[in-house]
Amino acid sequence: MTSSSREFHGLHEPHGLHGGLSLLAYAGWQVLLGAGIAAMALGAIVLAWPEASLMVVGVLFGLYLLAIGILQLVGAFAAHIPGALRALGFVSGGLCVLLGLVSFRGPAQSILLLALWIGFGWLLRGVVLAGVALSTKDLPARGWQVFVGLLNVAAGVLMIDLPFGSIAALTLVTGIFLLVMGVFEVFHAVQLRSHLKKASG
């Protein structure tokens, strides 16, 4: 591989994009793009539907948590992920799937429960994203993935900590969070894909 194929936004990558890392990056941008589009779509729906019932919002977020949980489980099979982070991905993905399933029932009784499920889902996903990026030195667009991961962590902590007195307040906050995180995830996916094109060119 030539030295020019190891440059990402002017930064020299000493080891280049070898097989396992290339597979991880290729799978990563597709997963991020899918998660980002799903987040923006759900954010737009809940913001445009402020009168939605707690049960409806619970089902929507349950589907979202199921989706990101499945994406994390699939991502745990990616090459070049250290064993500890692979196990964390399995645990995090499994818990997100579980939280998604619980969201179908729990929200019928409590706004607090739904906020907690959503918050824990974001927190777990953020830890996995940031952990993979921090442990993979030559990962393209690594800084962006760390940022997106920390953004998920921050949103998760806020969702767990903030007191929500009404379903309208919950949908407003989560809708804004989803739109912001979705935009950054899609942007990161585009950046990662651009890096891969440069590396293969």
mmCIF file with all atom_site columns, all heavy atoms in Angstrom, residues 175-191:
data_model
loop_
_atom_site.group_PDB
_atom_site.id
_atom_site.type_symbol
_atom_site.label_atom_id
_atom_site.label_alt_id
_atom_site.label_comp_id
_atom_site.label_asym_id
_atom_site.label_entity_id
_atom_site.label_seq_id
_atom_site.pdbx_PDB_ins_code
_atom_site.Cartn_x
_atom_site.Cartn_y
_atom_site.Cartn_z
_atom_site.occupancy
_atom_site.B_iso_or_equiv
_atom_site.pdbx_formal_charge
_atom_site.auth_seq_id
_atom_site.auth_comp_id
_atom_site.auth_asym_id
_atom_site.auth_atom_id
_atom_site.pdbx_PDB_model_num
ATOM 1   N N   . GLY A 1 175 ? -36.490 13.935 21.270 1.00 0.00 ? 175 GLY A N   1
ATOM 2   C CA  . GLY A 1 175 ? -36.531 14.261 19.841 1.00 0.00 ? 175 GLY A CA  1
ATOM 3   C C   . GLY A 1 175 ? -35.354 15.120 19.426 1.00 0.00 ? 175 GLY A C   1
ATOM 4   O O   . GLY A 1 175 ? -34.711 14.877 18.397 1.00 0.00 ? 175 GLY A O   1
ATOM 5   N N   . ILE A 1 176 ? -35.038 16.127 20.243 1.00 0.00 ? 176 ILE A N   1
ATOM 6   C CA  . ILE A 1 176 ? -33.884 16.996 19.953 1.00 0.00 ? 176 ILE A CA  1
ATOM 7   C C   . ILE A 1 176 ? -32.591 16.205 20.021 1.00 0.00 ? 176 ILE A C   1
ATOM 8   O O   . ILE A 1 176 ? -31.724 16.305 19.145 1.00 0.00 ? 176 ILE A O   1
ATOM 9   C CB  . ILE A 1 176 ? -33.848 18.182 20.934 1.00 0.00 ? 176 ILE A CB  1
ATOM 10  C CG1 . ILE A 1 176 ? -35.047 19.114 20.674 1.00 0.00 ? 176 ILE A CG1 1
ATOM 11  C CG2 . ILE A 1 176 ? -32.543 18.956 20.810 1.00 0.00 ? 176 ILE A CG2 1
ATOM 12  C CD1 . ILE A 1 176 ? -35.221 20.193 21.724 1.00 0.00 ? 176 ILE A CD1 1
ATOM 13  N N   . PHE A 1 177 ? -32.437 15.390 21.081 1.00 0.00 ? 177 PHE A N   1
ATOM 14  C CA  . PHE A 1 177 ? -31.237 14.560 21.210 1.00 0.00 ? 177 PHE A CA  1
ATOM 15  C C   . PHE A 1 177 ? -31.066 13.638 20.002 1.00 0.00 ? 177 PHE A C   1
ATOM 16  O O   . PHE A 1 177 ? -29.961 13.487 19.457 1.00 0.00 ? 177 PHE A O   1
ATOM 17  C CB  . PHE A 1 177 ? -31.303 13.712 22.482 1.00 0.00 ? 177 PHE A CB  1
ATOM 18  C CG  . PHE A 1 177 ? -30.974 14.448 23.748 1.00 0.00 ? 177 PHE A CG  1
ATOM 19  C CD1 . PHE A 1 177 ? -31.144 13.841 24.985 1.00 0.00 ? 177 PHE A CD1 1
ATOM 20  C CD2 . PHE A 1 177 ? -30.492 15.741 23.717 1.00 0.00 ? 177 PHE A CD2 1
ATOM 21  C CE1 . PHE A 1 177 ? -30.845 14.517 26.163 1.00 0.00 ? 177 PHE A CE1 1
ATOM 22  C CE2 . PHE A 1 177 ? -30.185 16.427 24.886 1.00 0.00 ? 177 PHE A CE2 1
ATOM 23  C CZ  . PHE A 1 177 ? -30.370 15.811 26.103 1.00 0.00 ? 177 PHE A CZ  1
ATOM 24  N N   . LEU A 1 178 ? -32.155 13.010 19.584 1.00 0.00 ? 178 LEU A N   1
ATOM 25  C CA  . LEU A 1 178 ? -32.089 12.079 18.455 1.00 0.00 ? 178 LEU A CA  1
ATOM 26  C C   . LEU A 1 178 ? -31.670 12.786 17.170 1.00 0.00 ? 178 LEU A C   1
ATOM 27  O O   . LEU A 1 178 ? -30.842 12.268 16.407 1.00 0.00 ? 178 LEU A O   1
ATOM 28  C CB  . LEU A 1 178 ? -33.446 11.395 18.265 1.00 0.00 ? 178 LEU A CB  1
ATOM 29  C CG  . LEU A 1 178 ? -33.765 10.247 19.219 1.00 0.00 ? 178 LEU A CG  1
ATOM 30  C CD1 . LEU A 1 178 ? -35.252 9.923  19.163 1.00 0.00 ? 178 LEU A CD1 1
ATOM 31  C CD2 . LEU A 1 178 ? -32.928 9.018  18.899 1.00 0.00 ? 178 LEU A CD2 1
ATOM 32  N N   . LEU A 1 179 ? -32.248 13.950 16.915 1.00 0.00 ? 179 LEU A N   1
ATOM 33  C CA  . LEU A 1 179 ? -31.889 14.688 15.699 1.00 0.00 ? 179 LEU A CA  1
ATOM 34  C C   . LEU A 1 179 ? -30.417 15.079 15.712 1.00 0.00 ? 179 LEU A C   1
ATOM 35  O O   . LEU A 1 179 ? -29.715 14.928 14.705 1.00 0.00 ? 179 LEU A O   1
ATOM 36  C CB  . LEU A 1 179 ? -32.767 15.935 15.563 1.00 0.00 ? 179 LEU A CB  1
ATOM 37  C CG  . LEU A 1 179 ? -34.205 15.698 15.101 1.00 0.00 ? 179 LEU A CG  1
ATOM 38  C CD1 . LEU A 1 179 ? -34.980 17.017 15.113 1.00 0.00 ? 179 LEU A CD1 1
ATOM 39  C CD2 . LEU A 1 179 ? -34.236 15.090 13.701 1.00 0.00 ? 179 LEU A CD2 1
ATOM 40  N N   . VAL A 1 180 ? -29.942 15.593 16.848 1.00 0.00 ? 180 VAL A N   1
ATOM 41  C CA  . VAL A 1 180 ? -28.536 16.015 16.948 1.00 0.00 ? 180 VAL A CA  1
ATOM 42  C C   . VAL A 1 180 ? -27.598 14.820 16.776 1.00 0.00 ? 180 VAL A C   1
ATOM 43  O O   . VAL A 1 180 ? -26.639 14.858 15.989 1.00 0.00 ? 180 VAL A O   1
ATOM 44  C CB  . VAL A 1 180 ? -28.279 16.710 18.301 1.00 0.00 ? 180 VAL A CB  1
ATOM 45  C CG1 . VAL A 1 180 ? -26.787 16.952 18.501 1.00 0.00 ? 180 VAL A CG1 1
ATOM 46  C CG2 . VAL A 1 180 ? -29.031 18.039 18.366 1.00 0.00 ? 180 VAL A CG2 1
ATOM 47  N N   . MET A 1 181 ? -27.871 13.734 17.492 1.00 0.00 ? 181 MET A N   1
ATOM 48  C CA  . MET A 1 181 ? -27.007 12.558 17.396 1.00 0.00 ? 181 MET A CA  1
ATOM 49  C C   . MET A 1 181 ? -27.080 11.936 16.006 1.00 0.00 ? 181 MET A C   1
ATOM 50  O O   . MET A 1 181 ? -26.068 11.478 15.467 1.00 0.00 ? 181 MET A O   1
ATOM 51  C CB  . MET A 1 181 ? -27.388 11.530 18.458 1.00 0.00 ? 181 MET A CB  1
ATOM 52  C CG  . MET A 1 181 ? -27.036 11.968 19.870 1.00 0.00 ? 181 MET A CG  1
ATOM 53  S SD  . MET A 1 181 ? -27.186 10.653 21.104 1.00 0.00 ? 181 MET A SD  1
ATOM 54  C CE  . MET A 1 181 ? -28.916 10.268 21.012 1.00 0.00 ? 181 MET A CE  1
ATOM 55  N N   . GLY A 1 182 ? -28.278 11.923 15.421 1.00 0.00 ? 182 GLY A N   1
ATOM 56  C CA  . GLY A 1 182 ? -28.420 11.369 14.076 1.00 0.00 ? 182 GLY A CA  1
ATOM 57  C C   . GLY A 1 182 ? -27.610 12.134 13.049 1.00 0.00 ? 182 GLY A C   1
ATOM 58  O O   . GLY A 1 182 ? -26.950 11.540 12.195 1.00 0.00 ? 182 GLY A O   1
ATOM 59  N N   . VAL A 1 183 ? -27.637 13.475 13.135 1.00 0.00 ? 183 VAL A N   1
ATOM 60  C CA  . VAL A 1 183 ? -26.859 14.301 12.204 1.00 0.00 ? 183 VAL A CA  1
ATOM 61  C C   . VAL A 1 183 ? -25.373 13.996 12.331 1.00 0.00 ? 183 VAL A C   1
ATOM 62  O O   . VAL A 1 183 ? -24.667 13.811 11.330 1.00 0.00 ? 183 VAL A O   1
ATOM 63  C CB  . VAL A 1 183 ? -27.131 15.797 12.456 1.00 0.00 ? 183 VAL A CB  1
ATOM 64  C CG1 . VAL A 1 183 ? -26.109 16.668 11.724 1.00 0.00 ? 183 VAL A CG1 1
ATOM 65  C CG2 . VAL A 1 183 ? -28.532 16.169 12.012 1.00 0.00 ? 183 VAL A CG2 1
ATOM 66  N N   . PHE A 1 184 ? -24.876 13.930 13.566 1.00 0.00 ? 184 PHE A N   1
ATOM 67  C CA  . PHE A 1 184 ? -23.451 13.657 13.770 1.00 0.00 ? 184 PHE A CA  1
ATOM 68  C C   . PHE A 1 184 ? -23.080 12.243 13.323 1.00 0.00 ? 184 PHE A C   1
ATOM 69  O O   . PHE A 1 184 ? -21.985 12.016 12.792 1.00 0.00 ? 184 PHE A O   1
ATOM 70  C CB  . PHE A 1 184 ? -23.055 13.874 15.231 1.00 0.00 ? 184 PHE A CB  1
ATOM 71  C CG  . PHE A 1 184 ? -22.802 15.306 15.585 1.00 0.00 ? 184 PHE A CG  1
ATOM 72  C CD1 . PHE A 1 184 ? -23.670 15.995 16.407 1.00 0.00 ? 184 PHE A CD1 1
ATOM 73  C CD2 . PHE A 1 184 ? -21.693 15.974 15.072 1.00 0.00 ? 184 PHE A CD2 1
ATOM 74  C CE1 . PHE A 1 184 ? -23.442 17.325 16.731 1.00 0.00 ? 184 PHE A CE1 1
ATOM 75  C CE2 . PHE A 1 184 ? -21.457 17.309 15.383 1.00 0.00 ? 184 PHE A CE2 1
ATOM 76  C CZ  . PHE A 1 184 ? -22.330 17.988 16.219 1.00 0.00 ? 184 PHE A CZ  1
ATOM 77  N N   . GLU A 1 185 ? -23.975 11.274 13.538 1.00 0.00 ? 185 GLU A N   1
ATOM 78  C CA  . GLU A 1 185 ? -23.680 9.905  13.115 1.00 0.00 ? 185 GLU A CA  1
ATOM 79  C C   . GLU A 1 185 ? -23.634 9.795  11.595 1.00 0.00 ? 185 GLU A C   1
ATOM 80  O O   . GLU A 1 185 ? -22.749 9.120  11.047 1.00 0.00 ? 185 GLU A O   1
ATOM 81  C CB  . GLU A 1 185 ? -24.725 8.945  13.693 1.00 0.00 ? 185 GLU A CB  1
ATOM 82  C CG  . GLU A 1 185 ? -24.542 8.704  15.179 1.00 0.00 ? 185 GLU A CG  1
ATOM 83  C CD  . GLU A 1 185 ? -25.632 7.833  15.769 1.00 0.00 ? 185 GLU A CD  1
ATOM 84  O OE1 . GLU A 1 185 ? -26.697 7.692  15.125 1.00 0.00 ? 185 GLU A OE1 1
ATOM 85  O OE2 . GLU A 1 185 ? -25.435 7.295  16.866 1.00 0.00 ? 185 GLU A OE2 1
ATOM 86  N N   . VAL A 1 186 ? -24.564 10.448 10.909 1.00 0.00 ? 186 VAL A N   1
ATOM 87  C CA  . VAL A 1 186 ? -24.550 10.433 9.445  1.00 0.00 ? 186 VAL A CA  1
ATOM 88  C C   . VAL A 1 186 ? -23.289 11.144 8.931  1.00 0.00 ? 186 VAL A C   1
ATOM 89  O O   . VAL A 1 186 ? -22.627 10.668 7.999  1.00 0.00 ? 186 VAL A O   1
ATOM 90  C CB  . VAL A 1 186 ? -25.816 11.101 8.880  1.00 0.00 ? 186 VAL A CB  1
ATOM 91  C CG1 . VAL A 1 186 ? -25.687 11.329 7.375  1.00 0.00 ? 186 VAL A CG1 1
ATOM 92  C CG2 . VAL A 1 186 ? -27.039 10.233 9.161  1.00 0.00 ? 186 VAL A CG2 1
ATOM 93  N N   . PHE A 1 187 ? -22.945 12.275 9.533  1.00 0.00 ? 187 PHE A N   1
ATOM 94  C CA  . PHE A 1 187 ? -21.742 12.997 9.122  1.00 0.00 ? 187 PHE A CA  1
ATOM 95  C C   . PHE A 1 187 ? -20.498 12.142 9.321  1.00 0.00 ? 187 PHE A C   1
ATOM 96  O O   . PHE A 1 187 ? -19.616 12.088 8.460  1.00 0.00 ? 187 PHE A O   1
ATOM 97  C CB  . PHE A 1 187 ? -21.616 14.301 9.907  1.00 0.00 ? 187 PHE A CB  1
ATOM 98  C CG  . PHE A 1 187 ? -20.434 15.131 9.509  1.00 0.00 ? 187 PHE A CG  1
ATOM 99  C CD1 . PHE A 1 187 ? -20.445 15.874 8.337  1.00 0.00 ? 187 PHE A CD1 1
ATOM 100 C CD2 . PHE A 1 187 ? -19.296 15.163 10.291 1.00 0.00 ? 187 PHE A CD2 1
ATOM 101 C CE1 . PHE A 1 187 ? -19.352 16.636 7.949  1.00 0.00 ? 187 PHE A CE1 1
ATOM 102 C CE2 . PHE A 1 187 ? -18.191 15.916 9.923  1.00 0.00 ? 187 PHE A CE2 1
ATOM 103 C CZ  . PHE A 1 187 ? -18.223 16.664 8.752  1.00 0.00 ? 187 PHE A CZ  1
ATOM 104 N N   . HIS A 1 188 ? -20.430 11.461 10.466 1.00 0.00 ? 188 HIS A N   1
ATOM 105 C CA  . HIS A 1 188 ? -19.290 10.581 10.728 1.00 0.00 ? 188 HIS A CA  1
ATOM 106 C C   . HIS A 1 188 ? -19.238 9.435  9.728  1.00 0.00 ? 188 HIS A C   1
ATOM 107 O O   . HIS A 1 188 ? -18.161 9.057  9.253  1.00 0.00 ? 188 HIS A O   1
ATOM 108 C CB  . HIS A 1 188 ? -19.379 10.037 12.151 1.00 0.00 ? 188 HIS A CB  1
ATOM 109 C CG  . HIS A 1 188 ? -18.318 9.026  12.484 1.00 0.00 ? 188 HIS A CG  1
ATOM 110 N ND1 . HIS A 1 188 ? -17.012 9.127  12.058 1.00 0.00 ? 188 HIS A ND1 1
ATOM 111 C CD2 . HIS A 1 188 ? -18.375 7.876  13.199 1.00 0.00 ? 188 HIS A CD2 1
ATOM 112 C CE1 . HIS A 1 188 ? -16.314 8.089  12.501 1.00 0.00 ? 188 HIS A CE1 1
ATOM 113 N NE2 . HIS A 1 188 ? -17.124 7.318  13.178 1.00 0.00 ? 188 HIS A NE2 1
ATOM 114 N N   . ALA A 1 189 ? -20.403 8.876  9.378  1.00 0.00 ? 189 ALA A N   1
ATOM 115 C CA  . ALA A 1 189 ? -20.444 7.787  8.395  1.00 0.00 ? 189 ALA A CA  1
ATOM 116 C C   . ALA A 1 189 ? -19.920 8.269  7.041  1.00 0.00 ? 189 ALA A C   1
ATOM 117 O O   . ALA A 1 189 ? -19.157 7.559  6.367  1.00 0.00 ? 189 ALA A O   1
ATOM 118 C CB  . ALA A 1 189 ? -21.868 7.267  8.243  1.00 0.00 ? 189 ALA A CB  1
ATOM 119 N N   . VAL A 1 190 ? -20.308 9.486  6.637  1.00 0.00 ? 190 VAL A N   1
ATOM 120 C CA  . VAL A 1 190 ? -19.824 10.051 5.366  1.00 0.00 ? 190 VAL A CA  1
ATOM 121 C C   . VAL A 1 190 ? -18.316 10.269 5.418  1.00 0.00 ? 190 VAL A C   1
ATOM 122 O O   . VAL A 1 190 ? -17.595 9.978  4.459  1.00 0.00 ? 190 VAL A O   1
ATOM 123 C CB  . VAL A 1 190 ? -20.560 11.370 5.057  1.00 0.00 ? 190 VAL A CB  1
ATOM 124 C CG1 . VAL A 1 190 ? -19.936 12.069 3.855  1.00 0.00 ? 190 VAL A CG1 1
ATOM 125 C CG2 . VAL A 1 190 ? -22.040 11.100 4.791  1.00 0.00 ? 190 VAL A CG2 1
ATOM 126 N N   . GLN A 1 191 ? -17.819 10.795 6.548  1.00 0.00 ? 191 GLN A N   1
ATOM 127 C CA  . GLN A 1 191 ? -16.378 10.999 6.704  1.00 0.00 ? 191 GLN A CA  1
ATOM 128 C C   . GLN A 1 191 ? -15.618 9.679  6.626  1.00 0.00 ? 191 GLN A C   1
ATOM 129 O O   . GLN A 1 191 ? -14.586 9.581  5.962  1.00 0.00 ? 191 GLN A O   1
ATOM 130 C CB  . GLN A 1 191 ? -16.096 11.667 8.054  1.00 0.00 ? 191 GLN A CB  1
ATOM 131 C CG  . GLN A 1 191 ? -16.543 13.111 8.158  1.00 0.00 ? 191 GLN A CG  1
ATOM 132 C CD  . GLN A 1 191 ? -15.691 14.033 7.314  1.00 0.00 ? 191 GLN A CD  1
ATOM 133 O OE1 . GLN A 1 191 ? -14.471 14.007 7.386  1.00 0.00 ? 191 GLN A OE1 1
ATOM 134 N NE2 . GLN A 1 191 ? -16.333 14.837 6.487  1.00 0.00 ? 191 GLN A NE2 1
#
